[in-house]
Amino acid sequence: MREDVDVVVIGGGFAGITAARDLQKRGLNVLVLEARDRLGGRTWSTDRNGFHVELGGTWIHWTQPFVWAEKERYGLEIQETPGCVAERVAIKVDGQVCELRDDQLGEFVAGFEQFFAEAPLVWERPYDSHYNWAAIKERDSLSVADRLQSMELTPLQRTSIGGFLEILSMNQPENASYLEMMRCWSLTGWNYALFNDAAARYKLKLGTGALVEAIASDGGFDVLLDTPVRSVHQTANGVTVTTAAGEQVTAKRAVVTLPLNVLHNVAFDPPLQSVKVEASKLKHVGGGAKVFFEVEGDPGAVMTLARSTESPLIGSFTYQRGEQHSVLAGFSLEPDALERSVADWQPVLEEFVPGLRLLSTFGHDWGGDALSQGSWCTYRPGTFVRFADALPRQEGHLFFASGDHGEGWRGFIEGAIASGSRTAVAVWRSLLPSRTA
Ligand SMILES: Cc1cc2nc3c(=O)[nH]c(=O)nc-3n(C[C@H](O)[C@H](O)[C@H](O)COP(=O)(O)OP(=O)(O)OC[C@H]3O[C@@H](n4cnc5c(N)ncnc54)[C@H](O)[C@@H]3O)c2cc1C
């Protein structure tokens, strides 16, 4: 096969399909090459005993303008996640599980406000890191652990902030950038309730697959599934992309949406800027596992929280409720979290929710998945200043779009759609002179 198109898009996650739709709608001929047998990338769902379960990216929020606009545009409904607005919150503080009491709520929220006290200054404009670049640079090397160590916090505050941010970054506090966490807090208006809701309250009722389908069918671009890209060669007039099967696609432009952690697995000629390769080999810190727990009966709307030093379960909450059985979504930083048996997890869960009977556990190993090599993106401490502008930078006929880079909600579905959308405009503009010539 040798196909000639205006734009070839490498990767069919939200960044790729958004860019493809927007470019095709501008009259260009677009082909998406996707290695998997489906579109959607790090969003993917399954049906489990009558429940629709998102194994990857799930929650969206109206503080996320691009994804919310897509939801509205295609008329998709949302569904609440019961455990995000829990009736019962069980926290493990200093080795002891206790229930968060109403009279502790003030202390709980005050901890976050204190931790993020300088966020309104540093991230006055969370979509524009250059607005206060000096403050960003000054704090680039700081980890969440550094910030925690510098503060006077109560044990409850230390656990709740530590546990929450371990989930948000999917790594230990030593490895997560304080700047990145501050950015999320700022994107939700420096407000705990919004911060919590944006993390895990609203999901698409028919699943992320419904949004993928809406964008793909509206876009009308061509797609080749099961088509991993092996190499990308730039010529004077465009690009030649070669697939693992040896097929070639030529195009005027390429939009590269490969996840950061696997970008270096594709051969580029000429080579990519060294900073991109360095960032890809270093990898973002989003690891861990989202583990689902199918339990007997209805546990109610519960939430659990702990530090990874205290429990293999850093957090969990009721995801779907049913009379016969329910599902909890949990998060773990343990490397073997998805291999652990029901017998292994039963006492862990029961410590937080006494009497809970676990029926099964399941999830997808995004870290072991050769096409993602990680979960969602959080930068390492000390890398923001070097990587933030460099990763989306155009190189000749190559444009880069990904949820793993860009301003605003990096690491989220929102970031992927925003990046795909912005990149489509840049690609289209770059083609204007040659199209009118
Ligand atoms: C467990 C988990 C939970 C998450 N939870 C949330 C959440 O609740 N809310 C939220 O907003 N975000 C969440 N995220 C993050 C969100 O899913 C991602 O940020 C977003 O989907 C990334 O989109 P993308 O298009 O940039 O990358 P991807 O979705 O990874 O798309 C890139 C595509 O490139 C393909 N590819 C890779 N290599 C090749 C190759 N050589 N040739 C061709 N194709 C290739 C991949 O198969 C993939 O389809 C979560 C992610 C995970 C893993």
Side-chain angles (χ1 to χ4, degrees):
M1 176 192 84
R2 191 182 173 101
E3 201 167 333
D4 191 29
V5 293
D6 291 323
V7 183
V8 59
V9 176
I10 303 171
F14 271 111
I17 60 171
T18 305
R21 176 198 62 190
D22 292 2
L23 285 163
Q24 184 86 24
K25 281 190 170 291
R26 286 173 184 261
L28 295 165
N29 179 13
V30 182
L31 173 64
V32 175
L33 301 178
E34 168 54 52
R36 300 181 195 270
D37 60 1
R38 58 172 183 83
L39 294 175
R42 274 171 282 172
T43 60
W44 186 32
S45 56
T46 184
D47 287 314
R48 187 82 173 192
N49 294 335
F51 290 138
H52 180 86
V53 180
E54 297 280 352
L55 299 167
T58 309
W59 293 283
I60 61 171
H61 194 263
W62 54 80
T63 53
Q64 302 172 337
F66 285 83
V67 68
W68 207 261
E70 299 293 349
K71 176 205 107 47
E72 289 294 308
R73 185 204 307 251
Y74 296 118
L76 300 175
E77 285 179 49
I78 51 164
Q79 187 179 54
E80 294 238 2
T81 305
C84 185
V85 274
E87 298 153 354
R88 210 180 141 250
V89 179
I91 308 189
K92 191 166 184 179
V93 183
D94 291 342
Q96 192 72 36
V97 172
C98 49
E99 211 165 302
L100 186 69
R101 301 185 313 268
D102 284 350
D103 65 321
Q104 290 177 306
L105 284 176
E107 177 188 342
F108 180 94
V109 173
F112 284 87
E113 288 170 349
Q114 216 180 314
F115 183 88
F116 289 123
E118 57 177 11
L121 163 84
V122 179
W123 285 107
E124 186 179 340
R125 297 187 186 178
Y127 271 86
D128 181 3
S129 52
H130 283 274
Y131 184 69
N132 199 352
W133 191 242
I136 300 270
K137 265 175 91 172
E138 209 179 304
R139 289 155 184 83
D140 189 21
S141 64
L142 294 179
S143 66
V144 169
D146 292 331
R147 176 69 179 164
L148 280 171
Q149 270 154 25
S150 72
M151 300 181 66
E152 295 264 328
L153 294 166
T154 67
L156 171 70
Q157 291 172 331
R158 204 162 280 282
T159 302
S160 48
I161 298 165
F164 197 124
L165 299 189
E166 285 193 48
I167 300 174
L168 194 59
S169 64
M170 280 309 249
N171 215 310
Q172 279 87 10
E174 296 72 31
N175 300 322
S177 154
Y178 165 54
L179 269 181
E180 290 274 84
M181 299 296 104
M182 266 201 285
R183 183 176 46 87
C184 288
W185 176 256
S186 304
L187 284 161
T188 49
W190 309 286
N191 174 291
Y192 179 77
L194 280 179
F195 185 62
N196 181 64
D197 286 0
R201 183 158 178 183
Y202 303 111
K203 55 185 192 276
L204 291 164
K205 190 172 176 185
L206 298 178
T208 49
L211 182 54
V212 170
E213 172 55 29
I215 293 174
S217 57
D218 186 25
F221 47 84
D222 287 331
V223 179
L224 285 177
L225 297 176
D226 297 309
T227 308
V229 166
R230 192 181 58 205
S231 65
V232 180
H233 173 66
Q234 291 208 61
T235 59
N237 300 322
V239 296
T240 302
V241 173
T242 306
T243 70
E247 297 151 333
Q248 290 196 324
V249 176
T250 54
K252 296 187 184 86
R253 301 286 185 269
V255 179
V256 179
T257 76
L258 297 164
L260 176 63
N261 289 358
V262 305
L263 178 66
H264 68 278
N265 293 340
V266 172
F268 287 86
D269 171 33
L272 292 181
Q273 284 170 355
S274 57
V275 62
K276 287 197 177 85
V277 180
E278 180 203 343
S280 176
K281 288 186 175 165
L282 188 62
K283 292 190 161 73
H284 64 71
V285 301
K290 183 179 185 185
V291 194
F292 286 95
F293 302 103
E294 190 188 8
V295 300
E296 200 173 74
D298 179 2
V302 295
M303 181 189 283
T304 75
L305 201 56
R307 298 283 299 269
S308 61
T309 44
E310 298 232 51
S311 172
L313 186 64
I314 50 177
S316 70
F317 37 84
T318 313
Y319 184 82
Q320 299 262 26
R321 292 173 74 172
E323 274 178 33
Q324 302 300 317
H325 70 127
S326 301
V327 174
L328 271 69
F331 298 90
S332 176
L333 299 185
E334 298 295 318
D336 63 346
L338 290 164
E339 284 128 49
R340 291 189 180 198
S341 65
V342 166
D344 291 334
W345 279 113
Q346 174 68 39
V348 175
L349 271 179
E350 236 187 325
E351 188 180 18
F352 294 95
V353 191
L356 200 72
R357 204 170 88 76
L358 185 56
L359 300 174
S360 72
T361 74
F362 57 98
H364 179 70
D365 179 11
W366 295 100
D369 183 327
L371 299 172
S372 56
Q373 294 276 295
S375 53
W376 59 92
C377 172
T378 299
Y379 288 166
R380 276 168 209 282
T383 61
F384 187 96
V385 167
R386 262 183 316 135
F387 296 161
D389 291 339
L391 292 177
R393 192 169 293 141
Q394 180 188 346
E395 295 189 35
H397 304 303
L398 303 183
F399 290 73
F400 296 85
S402 172
D404 297 348
H405 54 66
E407 297 279 12
W409 287 94
R410 179 179 34 268
F412 292 78
I413 296 168
E414 163 71 13
I417 294 177
S419 172
S421 191
R422 196 181 308 114
T423 304
V425 174
V427 170
W428 178 72
R429 282 193 182 138
S430 79
L431 286 168
L432 278 178
S434 60
R435 292 183 76 221
T436 50

